[in-house]
Amino acid sequence: MAAALHIEDLTIEYARSDYVVRPIDRLTVTAGDGELVLLLGPSGSGKTTLLSCLAALLTPAAGQIHVGGKEITALKGQAVSDYRRHGVGIVFQAFNLIPSLNARENVAAPLRLSGASRREANQRAEQLLQRVGLADRLHHKPGELSGGQQQRVAIARALVHDPSLIVADEPTAHLDYVQVEEVLRLIRELAAPGRLVVVSTHDDRFTPLADRVIELVPRQQIQPTIKRIECAAGDVIFAQGEPSDLVYVVEEGDVEIFRPHAATGEQTLGRCGPGEYFGELGPLLGLQRSASARALTPAVLTGYGPKEFAGWSGSGGNGTVAAEPELSEEAASVRVAP
C-alpha cells in the first residue's frame, strides 16, 4: 500500500523526576505518499519522541497514528513487532552501528535476524550499499569509515526490508558540511512514491528540500503587543508546553504558577500579586512554557510582548515581594516590578 501519514489529536506526555512533560499536545498532521516531511523545533520540543511513536517504540497518551492506512497506535503483540521490523526503517542520530561488524555485516544483520540466509542477506546488503555509494567500503568497519559514510551505512540498514516509512533522528548532527551534502541528497532521493520519509532536525539546510515542514514550536510573529486581560478565579492564563508570547504584569488579584506532578497531580511553584510579573523567560528566550499559570482570585493582568516588556521594565514600576530564588524556569520568572 502506498505510504501516507495521518496523525490525529496526538498527545504525548511522560514523567520526568517529579513532574509531567507534555511535548506534543493534540497534534494533527497529514502527509502524502512520497513526501519528505521535516519536524523542526529546538531540543525538548518532542521531535525524537514523535519519531519514536511513529516507529511504534513509544505509545502516545492519546490520539491516533495511521501509516499507509494502518493504525499504528492500535497494534498489539506480534503485530507491533512485525511493524517495527518490516514497516518502518529507523536512522539514528548516533548511527548505532555494531563496531565489530563491517559495513556489509551491519546492513545484513536485520535480515539474518529475520531468518534470511547468509547469502541472501549479503546480496541485499551489497545492493543497498551500492545504492548509497559505498560499494567500495563493504569490508570496512565503522571505525574505518567517516561520519558521513557511517550514516550512509545506517541508511542502507534502514532500507533492508523496503519499508513504507523511514524515520531519521537528526541525521546530520555529527557530520561536517561535506558529509552533510551527501546525506541530504540521499535522504531526498529516498522520499519517492511508495515511501514516506520523516526527519527530525534543527538543521535549516533540510528546509528547501522538504515537501512539508512541521514546526513543533511555532515561530511567534514579532509585533507590538500590549494586552489587558481580565481573569476569573481558576482561569488558566497559559499552560505548560504552549508557545510563549507575552510577559504578564499583575495589576489586580493573585496568580499561581504550577506544573503537573507525577505523584500528586500538581506542584505549586510560586505565587504573585499586584506589581509583580511572571512568565518572561519563555518570550525573551523563545522557549515553550515550562509551567502553567492560573488566577487564584479574579485578576487583571497586562500582557507585554518582549520588546514592550523591555521598555516597560526600563521605565520603572512598583512592587514589594519577589519570588523565592531557588525556584526555576517559569517559577523563577515571577519578579517584582522595578
Side-chain angles (χ1 to χ4, degrees):
M1 180 178 292
L5 174 67
H6 179 64
I7 300 172
E8 184 174 358
D9 289 332
L10 192 73
T11 296
I12 301 170
E13 63 181 26
Y14 54 88
R16 173 173 289 175
S17 184
D18 59 351
Y19 60 92
V20 175
V21 177
R22 182 175 287 180
I24 305 293
D25 191 12
R26 299 187 299 276
L27 176 68
T28 295
V29 171
T30 298
D33 174 38
E35 290 190 346
L36 172 58
V37 179
L38 295 191
L39 306 179
L40 290 183
S43 297
S45 62
K47 302 188 303 296
T48 299
T49 305
L50 179 55
L51 288 186
S52 296
C53 289
L54 294 178
L57 300 176
L58 291 178
T59 301
Q64 298 178 345
I65 299 173
H66 292 81
V67 176
K70 177 184 295 184
E71 185 183 347
I72 304 309
T73 43
L75 298 178
K76 304 292 183 183
Q78 186 60 42
V80 176
S81 298
D82 291 343
Y83 171 73
R84 291 172 182 168
R85 180 171 294 178
H86 299 286
V88 61
I90 304 174
V91 180
F92 299 95
Q93 179 180 156
F95 317 138
N96 284 19
L97 301 178
I98 301 172
S100 61
L101 302 183
N102 63 33
R104 185 177 68 179
E105 291 166 338
N106 265 284
V107 176
L111 290 167
R112 295 286 288 146
L113 291 172
S114 296
S117 69
R118 185 181 302 275
R119 180 178 179 182
E120 291 172 335
N122 285 341
Q123 286 179 343
R124 175 67 171 157
E126 290 174 13
Q127 291 171 355
L128 291 170
L129 287 168
Q130 182 175 6
R131 179 175 177 180
V132 300
L134 293 176
D136 58 343
R137 294 291 189 270
L138 298 179
H139 304 294
H140 289 65
K141 294 182 178 179
E144 301 169 324
L145 300 171
S146 69
Q149 290 170 338
Q150 291 185 62
Q151 191 60 287
R152 283 187 280 161
V153 173
I155 291 171
R157 181 183 57 192
L159 292 170
V160 292
H161 294 296
D162 196 22
S164 60
L165 174 66
I166 295 286
V167 297
D169 185 18
E170 298 282 5
T172 60
H174 302 299
L175 310 182
D176 61 38
Y177 71 94
V178 176
Q179 298 166 346
V180 163
E181 183 177 336
E182 298 169 346
V183 172
L184 289 177
R185 182 172 58 249
L186 178 57
I187 288 177
R188 175 62 266 185
E189 291 173 355
L190 292 180
R195 179 177 295 116
L196 179 73
V197 179
V198 182
V199 177
S200 77
T201 185
H202 59 266
D203 189 340
D204 288 338
R205 290 170 291 191
F206 264 113
T207 305
L209 303 177
D211 299 299
R212 191 178 305 269
V213 176
I214 301 168
E215 294 193 50
L216 296 182
V217 179
R219 296 177 183 174
Q220 300 300 305
Q221 296 296 321
I222 300 175
Q223 55 187 356
T225 305
I226 300 178
K227 295 182 178 179
R228 178 182 172 86
I229 300 144
E230 296 184 4
C231 304
D235 283 355
V236 174
I237 300 157
F238 56 72
Q240 178 182 309
E242 291 181 348
S244 302
D245 52 0
L246 300 176
V247 184
Y248 295 93
V249 176
V250 181
E251 309 292 350
E252 300 175 19
D254 294 290
V255 172
E256 178 182 43
I257 311 300
F258 69 98
R259 64 162 60 115
H261 190 279
T264 62
E266 283 186 1
Q267 177 186 22
T268 298
L269 302 178
R271 294 188 171 111
C272 57
E276 295 179 313
Y277 62 88
F278 62 95
E280 85 273 17
L281 290 186
L284 296 180
L285 301 179
L287 304 174
Q288 294 170 267
R289 296 294 188 187
S290 62
S292 302
R294 68 175 163 228
L296 288 174
T297 65
V300 177
L301 313 173
T302 301
Y304 292 90
K307 181 178 179 180
E308 291 68 40
F309 175 72
W312 175 86
S313 61
S315 67
N318 298 308
T320 56
V321 181
E324 298 180 16
E326 68 268 24
L327 296 178
S328 63
E329 304 202 19
E330 290 292 347
S333 68
V334 178
R335 294 288 185 267
V336 179

